[in-house]
Amino acid sequence: MQSRDQRFYTCGYHLVEETDISELGRALAAKDFFYPMICKSRIAQGTQGHEMSIIFNEQGLREASLKSIVVPFIDHGSVLYKVFVCGDKFHVAPRPSINLGKLLTQSNQLDVYNFHSDTVSKVSEVSTSQVQEDLCGLSASCDMVPLPEEHRALIPQWVRVMRDVLNLSLFGFDVLFESKTEKPFVIDINYFPGYDGFDDFHEVLADMLYQATL
């Protein structure tokens, strides 16, 4: 990237290979991972690919599956942004996400909270999911905050970098902004996005395919 202001960041991760909980705890501490943490499947697609857990303490860590992936939880308010890419065009959609304050109220009662990530990020004009009420503090009438223009202006550069690195023209990624620093973190890249809300997607796709033939 050309300047610090244009960078995006990625969080660390730990692939769970340890069978001893003390050994796993030491490995996570060596990477400066603190509770709460997110545990997710290594499977990248399908129903299992959306299964996740929020781990609040060591007891919850005992329930982490072997071969799962543990990542730190980044405090970012309760909104993340899904970016859908089609060639050099993109669409940004705000989605509900986990609120740290709401999350910490759960930690006094739970060791681990299991959920399906789609039940967090799906938006309905009629109702919210139980997971959204538990973890996001959302109501059905809650409005998603659009991506501020100063952040949106960075997206074209990120898209160019990802297209070059991934050698893909159709993909999506999730980005959130850390609450204290406003640093942007890309937390997921999706090879099979749904393009929900991408206006005129089929026309944009057709144009991209046509341009590729020239």
Side-chain angles (χ1 to χ4, degrees):
M1 309 292 278
Q2 293 180 347
S3 72
R4 183 176 179 83
D5 291 338
Q6 291 181 310
R7 291 177 182 171
F8 62 82
Y9 298 80
T10 59
C11 61
Y13 69 92
H14 182 76
L15 177 61
V16 179
E17 303 278 9
E18 300 83 359
T19 56
D20 180 79
I21 191 65
S22 298
E23 184 182 351
L24 175 56
R26 288 192 294 270
L28 293 172
K31 295 182 177 180
D32 293 326
F33 284 16
F34 304 99
Y35 298 109
M37 291 180 277
I38 304 289
C39 181
K40 57 184 181 179
S41 170
R42 290 180 65 182
I43 299 172
Q45 63 187 72
T47 301
Q48 286 183 288
H50 294 281
E51 293 175 354
M52 294 189 179
S53 301
I54 301 171
I55 301 171
F56 296 101
N57 51 43
E58 184 175 302
Q59 182 58 40
L61 194 60
R62 294 178 186 276
E63 300 185 30
S65 301
L66 185 66
K67 302 294 185 181
S68 61
I69 297 173
V70 177
V71 298
F73 178 82
I74 300 171
D75 184 15
H76 59 282
S78 55
V79 179
L80 65 76
Y81 300 92
K82 288 189 171 290
V83 182
F84 304 114
V85 179
C86 182
D88 59 357
K89 304 294 192 300
F90 65 89
H91 172 74
V92 182
R95 291 288 188 267
S97 189
I98 299 170
N99 180 282
L100 183 61
K102 188 73 173 178
L103 181 62
L104 293 177
T105 65
Q106 297 284 344
S107 64
N108 294 326
Q109 309 166 30
L110 300 172
D111 300 316
V112 61
Y113 187 102
N114 300 310
F115 65 99
H116 196 279
S117 61
D118 270 358
T119 61
V120 174
S121 61
K122 292 290 186 182
V123 176
S124 170
E125 296 179 357
V126 179
S127 62
T128 54
S129 70
Q130 185 61 51
V131 173
Q132 287 175 332
E133 293 177 3
D134 286 347
L135 299 183
C136 308
L138 295 179
S139 65
S141 61
C142 180
D143 292 328
M144 293 291 93
V145 179
L147 183 64
E149 188 56 41
E150 63 269 24
H151 292 149
R152 186 181 178 86
L154 301 174
I155 301 293
Q157 173 71 357
W158 298 349
V159 168
R160 285 193 292 271
V161 169
M162 290 188 192
R163 288 184 64 191
D164 289 343
V165 172
L166 299 173
N167 194 28
L168 292 172
S169 295
L170 294 168
F171 63 95
F173 60 92
D174 295 350
V175 61
L176 53 80
F177 293 85
E178 188 177 29
S179 295
K180 291 183 179 180
T181 65
E182 292 195 354
K183 285 182 179 178
F185 281 83
V186 172
I187 60 169
D188 194 25
I189 296 177
N190 187 356
Y191 291 96
F192 307 103
Y195 290 95
D196 293 341
F198 194 129
D199 292 339
D200 302 320
F201 170 69
H202 292 95
E203 288 81 358
V204 174
L205 175 62
D207 183 64
M208 184 199 75
L209 294 174
Y210 173 72
Q211 294 298 325
T213 66
L214 300 180

